[in-house]
Amino acid sequence: MACSLSLMDRKMATNFLVHEKIWFDKFKYDDAERKFYEQMNGPVTGSSRQENGASVILRDIARARENIQKSLAGSSGPGASSGPSGDHSELVTRIASLEVENQSLRGVVQDLQQAIAKLEARLSVLEKSSPAHRATAPQTQHVSPMRQAEPPTRKAAAAEDDEDDDIDLFGSDEEDDKEAVRLREERLRQYAEKKAKKPALVAKSSILLDVKPWDDETDMAQLEACVRSVQLDGLTWGGSKLVPVGYGIRKLQIQCVVEDDKVGTDLLEEEITKFEEHVQSVDIAAFNKI
């Protein structure tokens, strides 16, 4: 029983060592490295051997750190977030993303600062160039001590010269006024002539008349001839037709066009009803402005 337990322990230890990443041959490589450096640098004393041993230890520590960093970087797989290594990798990625975002925000802030500086510069230039700023700006007069008091004769001469400049000897303003008046009158005359030549619009109306006879024995052709015999200035006769009324009686519907200023409906009815032998009455069936 004890032998079987010891064999099982050995197998478990062997399996553990097989799966464990242990560098069993490290001492061989260390000896080879030490011999290489001894050949390059000559014989090594006790103190140099101690320094070489310390350097070897430091190199081992650096390699171990590199291996740890590589393992942490490679442990960002699907199941890495369940352990502490996964948390560490997630933290590293968050820090990296925050650094990138921070740098982009810094760039945006710098751009905004530059834009604000440009706007302030432009605003200051506009304020300086505005007329209100010029009006409010204090005006300082620098008077040299040699020109503080001018002789009165020079001032009087300068005032006379200004008065002479104000007087227009040639009367150019009056001539300009006369020319403007003449042009305006000429344009008004041309407009009046053009308006007089333009034909005036004549108001016309279209009238449909119902002319009724006395009875069915009335000659409608003679009645129409009587109606058309009415001739007035501004009256134009149009088409006509006979419309039955009842009991064999028919009325005459006739179209005419009249000028409103010359012919009225009352005058037209009066002229048609003069034919008493044929015409009983005249009615206006339709009246339209043209």
Side-chain angles (χ1 to χ4, degrees):
M1 188 70 179
C3 291
S4 62
L5 288 173
S6 62
L7 289 172
M8 289 177 65
D9 293 336
R10 287 179 184 177
K11 287 181 180 180
M12 290 176 65
T14 305
N15 292 330
F16 176 76
L17 293 174
V18 166
H19 294 290
E20 187 68 21
K21 295 179 180 179
I22 298 174
W23 194 4
F24 293 101
D25 297 336
K26 184 178 181 304
F27 66 93
K28 295 180 181 180
Y29 292 96
D30 291 339
D31 292 339
E33 187 178 3
R34 180 175 54 77
K35 289 178 181 180
F36 173 75
Y37 283 113
E38 285 179 356
Q39 290 177 4
M40 294 291 293
N41 299 325
V44 181
T45 59
S47 60
S48 62
R49 286 180 181 176
Q50 290 179 358
E51 291 177 358
N52 288 333
S55 63
V56 169
I57 293 170
L58 292 175
R59 284 197 299 272
D60 293 339
I61 292 170
R63 289 175 184 172
R65 287 180 178 174
E66 289 179 0
N67 291 329
I68 291 169
Q69 289 179 358
K70 289 179 181 179
S71 64
L72 289 174
S75 63
S76 60
S81 61
S82 60
S85 60
D87 296 338
H88 186 271
S89 63
E90 187 177 358
L91 183 61
V92 169
T93 53
R94 286 184 180 178
I95 290 171
S97 64
L98 286 173
E99 287 180 355
V100 172
E101 186 177 358
N102 189 15
Q103 297 209 351
S104 65
L105 288 174
R106 285 183 182 176
V108 172
V109 170
Q110 288 179 0
D111 294 338
L112 288 174
Q113 288 177 351
Q114 291 177 0
I116 290 170
K118 289 180 181 179
L119 288 173
E120 289 179 351
R122 289 183 64 185
L123 184 61
S124 63
V125 170
L126 290 173
E127 287 179 352
K128 289 179 181 178
S129 62
S130 63
H133 185 269
R134 292 178 183 174
T136 55
Q139 298 180 356
T140 58
Q141 296 181 355
H142 300 282
V143 181
S144 61
M146 297 298 293
R147 297 181 63 186
Q148 287 181 356
E150 293 184 356
T153 56
R154 292 180 63 184
K155 290 184 178 181
E160 290 177 0
D161 292 339
D162 293 337
E163 291 178 358
D164 293 338
D165 293 337
D166 293 337
I167 298 173
D168 189 2
L169 300 177
F170 298 98
S172 59
D173 294 338
E174 294 179 359
E175 291 180 358
D176 293 341
D177 293 340
K178 290 180 180 179
E179 184 68 19
V181 170
R182 188 183 65 79
L183 288 173
R184 186 175 64 217
E185 291 177 353
E186 182 69 20
R187 289 176 182 174
L188 289 173
R189 184 179 61 78
Q190 292 176 359
Y191 176 74
E193 291 177 356
K194 186 176 179 181
K195 190 174 181 182
K197 291 178 181 179
K198 187 176 180 181
L201 295 175
V202 179
K204 294 182 179 181
S205 300
S206 175
I207 304 173
L208 181 64
L209 298 175
D210 282 346
V211 183
K212 297 177 182 178
W214 288 104
D215 52 21
D216 57 347
E217 296 180 356
T218 304
D219 188 359
M220 299 304 294
Q222 185 65 29
L223 186 144
E224 183 177 355
C226 293
V227 172
R228 290 185 182 272
S229 66
V230 177
Q231 298 294 329
L232 298 172
D233 185 16
L235 171 63
T236 304
W237 292 106
S240 63
K241 65 179 181 178
L242 297 176
V243 179
V245 178
Y247 301 103
I249 300 173
R250 294 180 296 174
K251 65 180 179 180
L252 174 66
Q253 277 193 348
I254 187 167
Q255 186 83 25
C256 66
V257 176
V258 298
E259 295 181 10
D260 295 342
D261 294 338
K262 296 179 180 181
V263 180
T265 57
D266 295 337
L267 177 61
L268 191 60
E269 289 179 6
E270 183 181 352
E271 292 294 328
I272 294 172
T273 52
K274 286 181 180 179
F275 303 99
E276 297 177 354
E277 295 179 0
H278 300 85
V279 178
Q280 178 189 2
S281 63
V282 178
D283 296 326
I284 297 174
F287 187 93
N288 296 316
K289 290 287 186 181
I290 299 176

